Amino acid sequence: SLDIVSNTGDAAIHFRSPSGTIFSSTFNYTGSEQTWVVPAGVNSIRVDVSGAAGGNTTSIGPPPSSGGGGARVYNATISVTPGETLHVYVGGVGGIPLGVYNGGAGSGEGGSGSSRGAGGGGASDIRRGGNTLTLSNRVVVAAGGGGGGGSSCSNESTGGNGGAGGGMAGSIASGGGGY
């Protein structure tokens, strides 16, 4: 199932040992790849993965706009092989002006009399296989949220809020803004 959250990305791997004990490993944002090795006797895992929220804007005149929440995929079941290494990528919250880890774009440039928008949040995903940069190796992905829109100081117009990540299409950003 899919839900929308508003925070930094994260990922959790849950599994039952051959003796029946349930274990969990949690991964938080670090800005780099993390790995997890499937324990002996484990053939299936359940994962929860959250994309990071888009960044919020700051504003001198009109009120700032908010970033959209990242998507959350939970209770996804993956068949695994004991000894296999899974690669976990956790996205960071969108910012101004630089992009963030794992796909969050940088913010757009503000025009004359306007403030710059905020960047989108990074996706979080779990990958398996040889080349972890190949899209086909991603087995679970939770999208990051869209960044908040820039504001126009010249006409006191607030930028729109970023859309939430999720599903096959995400959500549509709200609000107006403009020049």
Side-chain angles (χ1 to χ4, degrees):
S1 62
L2 180 70
D3 192 12
I4 304 299
V5 295
S6 181
N7 57 3
T8 60
D10 62 32
I13 297 174
H14 313 283
F15 64 95
R16 185 179 305 272
S17 71
S19 66
T21 304
I22 296 175
F23 292 94
S24 294
S25 295
T26 301
F27 300 86
N28 295 305
Y29 174 75
T30 64
S32 61
E33 173 190 24
Q34 301 170 67
T35 59
W36 184 78
V37 178
V38 178
V42 174
N43 296 304
S44 178
I45 59 173
R46 185 178 56 80
V47 298
D48 305 321
V49 181
S50 305
N56 299 324
T57 61
T58 57
S59 180
I60 300 169
S65 57
S66 300
R72 180 171 182 88
V73 177
Y74 55 96
N75 287 325
T77 302
I78 302 171
S79 296
V80 293
T81 303
E84 174 182 10
T85 299
L86 298 180
H87 304 268
V88 182
Y89 294 76
V90 177
V93 175
I96 301 172
L98 303 175
V100 295
Y101 181 73
N102 210 29
S107 63
E109 190 66 44
S112 177
S114 63
S115 64
R116 116 184 355 251
S124 295
D125 63 75
I126 297 177
R127 306 175 195 187
R128 66 184 332 163
N131 181 354
T132 57
L133 297 178
T134 304
L135 289 176
S136 63
N137 289 339
R138 296 177 182 191
V139 292
V140 176
V141 178
S151 301
S152 172
C153 298
S154 61
N155 67 9
E156 295 295 313
S157 179
T158 300
N161 293 328
M168 297 303 286
S171 72
I172 296 173
S174 68
Y179 291 90

